[in-house]
């Protein structure tokens, strides 16, 4: 299963992806879980039809006046499918039958102007609006605060799914915000182009979500983050339209594109972006590496990030993650090769790939790495979109499994990894559920890198509360270590308080002032990214 052959189907509200790709746990994993004290929960997940929803509290006819009756829905399953996102607490709540954050209605505008008109109408009616792209937020970005509003409307961008323009000379493409990542890539490939953006949520996420949450794909070493790719965008707000990006670079004032990127629906609805695209690579080679320990591997990655050459994909698992092969469920918990596994990937012309691979091999070998050949690299490439499918059977089996990420400077990376690992271990062990904490370096820069943690342990009777305690401990450790609360998942509601501490009150006041101008009634994603305005 590679990025080229992922179909995009509508997801079940709490089961990931295409039913055809669903998976079960291998026997080795089941035995290991029993040793960790994992027990199947007494209550199976709620049947969708049995999950109760409050009566919709919005005027559907008023919304239909803007987008047409066919594009407004308040039916049970549609509302459930737009309830929260894909964090483990989001899933656990829905599995427990709690859909209290469901929107009253789902509205699907068909043009930029309809989005502008819809926002104006929602402002008049005092409805909160949740921009909804792929719905894969893992930070509570789709669960705004309802208090003070007459209703909540999910503004699903699905109908804005066109490739509006491709400029092959400048190598840019203008994509509508509701276009699925998978579909954008498919259409670009027909023209011999690629966006090169492959987050692990690729099967579910959309262009607007990438932009609004400043996503980072697994090939970020070669293609950059999504916010690096955007050269222009169009934002619909309750006050009208804001466009930015008349040229690739400009010295005219602060870059307003960067103000909108990462604004998570709190400042407006991004309806299209113009992104840099690249020629589809003729050659792709992925390779595995082994390092004796994490420190040696991290130093090797830093050498590449600082002095080059850079592969297109570059990541390093720690010892624990190396021994639990998340990319290959069949081999999961089967015992890894020992040490720390790294993956390098190269994309480009055959000659360029060969030259870059040879140069990287020289650097990594000199830095203590052992080349394992293409087999483990290819296994990672073809297995990487399978890992999200594992969460469902693990939750079914009674495992609490969740991920979090952070980023810091190289000089602080080792201390950060130790601090977060210890905080998670201490918080969960104190609840009687000692965890497995896995970590990898997921994205590298000249000056630092991001760390991505996967945590697994037995569920207690209250797995949501259990995770909240662990997450708070991790957040506190990230703050105390001086790292950033998020590298690519975003702020949402889950990180809002820690983000406010990180950037300070003046920054929050300045951003809130921008929001007050673009969204004076505060209807856009209230409580996401920024605290609600008082009064
Ligand atoms: C299994 C899994 C793996 C993941 N892997 C990665 C990864 O590798 N890299 C990564 O970066 N992230 C990852 N994520 C997180 C998530 O997929 C990203 O944040 C992604 O960019 C969200 O895109 P989306 O289309 O699903 O957006 P949504 O979840 O629909 O929206 C995200 C936020 O942006 C707002 N929003 C959405 N569209 C717009 C718009 N057009 N205008 C304004 N605001 C908008 C929403 O209200 C919400 O607050 C992962 C999530 C899951 C569940």
């Amino acid at each position: 299963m590679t990025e080229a052959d992922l179909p995009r189907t509508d997801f079940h509200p709490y089961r990931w992806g295409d039913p055809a790709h669903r998976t079960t746990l291998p026997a080795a994993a089941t035995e290991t879980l029993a040793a960790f004290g994992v027990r199947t929960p007494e209550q199976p997940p709620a049947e969708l039809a049995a999950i109760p929803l409050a009566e919709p509290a919005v005027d559907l006819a008023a919304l239909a006046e803007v987008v047409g009756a066919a594009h407004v829905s308040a039916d049970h399953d549609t509302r459930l499918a737009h309830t929260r996102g894909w964090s483990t607490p989001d899933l656990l709540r829905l599995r427990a039958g709690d859909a209290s954050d469901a929107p009253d209605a789902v509205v699907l505008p068909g043009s930029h102007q309809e989005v502008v008109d819809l926002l104006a109408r929602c402002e008049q009616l005092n409805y909160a609006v949740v921009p909804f792209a792929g719905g894969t937020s893992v930070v509570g970005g789709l669960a705004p605060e309802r208090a003070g509003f007459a209703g909540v409307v999910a503004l699903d961008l699905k109908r804005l799914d066109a490739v509006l323009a491709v400029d092959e000379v400048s190598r840019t493409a203008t994509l509508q915000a509701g276009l699925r990542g998978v579909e954008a890539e498919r259409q670009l490939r027909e023209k011999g182009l690629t966006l090169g953006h492959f987050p692990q949520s690729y099967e579910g996420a959309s262009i607007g979500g990438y932009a609004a949450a400043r996503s980072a794909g697994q090939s970020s070493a070669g293609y950059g983050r999504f916010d690096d790719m955007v050269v222009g965008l169009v934002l619909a707000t309750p006050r009208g339209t804001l466009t930015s990006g008349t040229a690739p670079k400009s010295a005219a004032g602060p870059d307003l594109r960067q103000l909108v990127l990462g604004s998570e629906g709190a400042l407006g609805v991004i309806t299209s972006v113009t992104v840099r695209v690249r020629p589809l690579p003729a050659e792709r080679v992925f390779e595995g590496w082994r390092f004796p320990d994490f420190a040696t591997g991290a130093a090797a990655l830093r050498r590449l990030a600082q002095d080059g050459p850079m592969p297109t994909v570059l990541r390093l698992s720690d010892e624990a993650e190396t021994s639990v092969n998340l990319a290959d469920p069949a081999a999961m918990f089967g015992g890894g090769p020992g040490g720390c596994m790294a993956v390098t990937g190269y994309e480009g012309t055959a000659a360029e790939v060969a030259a870059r691979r040879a140069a990287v091999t020289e650097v990594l070998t000199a830095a203590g790495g052992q080349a394992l050949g293409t087999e483990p690299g290819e296994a990672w490439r073809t297995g990487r979109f399978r890992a999200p499918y594992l969460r469902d059977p693990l939750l079914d089996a009674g495992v609490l499994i969740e991920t979090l990420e952070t980023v810091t400077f190289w000089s602080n990376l080792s201390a950060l990894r130790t601090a977060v690992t210890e905080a998670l271990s201490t918080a969960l062990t104190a609840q009687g559920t000692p965890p497995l904490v896995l970590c990898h370096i997921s994205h590298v820069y000249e000056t630092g890198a991001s760390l991505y943690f996967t945590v697994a342990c037995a569920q207690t009777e209250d797995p949501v509360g259990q995770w909240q305690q662990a997450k708070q401990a991790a957040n506190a450790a990230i703050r105390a270590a001086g790292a950033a609360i998020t590298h690519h998942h975003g702020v949402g509601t889950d990180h809002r308080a820690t983000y406010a501490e990180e950037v300070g009150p003046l920054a929050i006041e300045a951003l809130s002032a921008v929001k007050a101008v673009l969204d004076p009634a505060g209807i856009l994603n209230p409580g996401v990214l920024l605290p609600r305005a008082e009064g």
Side-chain angles (χ1 to χ4, degrees), residues 16 85-87 129-143 155 157 177-178 180 197-202 204-218 235 263-266 268-272 387-389 391 403 443 452 487-490 492 525 528:
W16 183 259
W86 283 93
S87 72
V129 177
V130 191
F132 194 101
T136 64
S137 168
V138 284
V139 291
L142 299 161
L155 190 160
L157 290 148
R180 300 284 170 195
H197 188 71
F198 307 114
Q200 207 178 37
S201 53
Y202 179 62
S206 297
I207 297 297
Y210 291 163
R214 289 220 264 162
S215 166
Q218 291 171 333
L235 184 76
S263 61
E264 298 186 23
V269 180
I270 300 161
T271 56
S272 65
Y389 284 90
R391 183 162 49 165
T403 62
H443 304 271
Y452 187 94
H487 169 263
H488 56 268
H489 283 168
N525 255 354
V528 169

Side-chain angles (χ1 to χ4, degrees), residues 411-460:
S411 55
N412 194 32
L413 199 72
S414 168
L416 176 65
R417 175 170 159 262
T418 304
V420 175
T421 303
E422 283 180 5
L424 288 164
S425 298
T426 305
L428 288 161
T429 303
Q431 298 180 67
T433 53
L436 200 57
V437 181
L438 320 176
C439 179
H440 66 259
I441 293 179
S442 55
H443 304 271
V444 299
Y445 306 95
E446 272 182 74
T447 51
S450 68
L451 291 177
Y452 187 94
F453 294 87
T454 303
V455 188
C457 63
Q459 289 176 21
T460 64

Side-chain angles (χ1 to χ4, degrees), residues 178-211:
L179 184 65
R180 300 284 170 195
V182 176
E183 183 57 21
E185 194 63 25
R186 193 189 64 72
Q187 292 196 37
L188 288 171
R189 279 177 189 209
E190 281 174 3
K191 294 187 182 301
L193 298 167
T194 180
L195 191 53
H197 188 71
F198 307 114
Q200 207 178 37
S201 53
Y202 179 62
E203 199 170 348
S206 297
I207 297 297
Y210 291 163

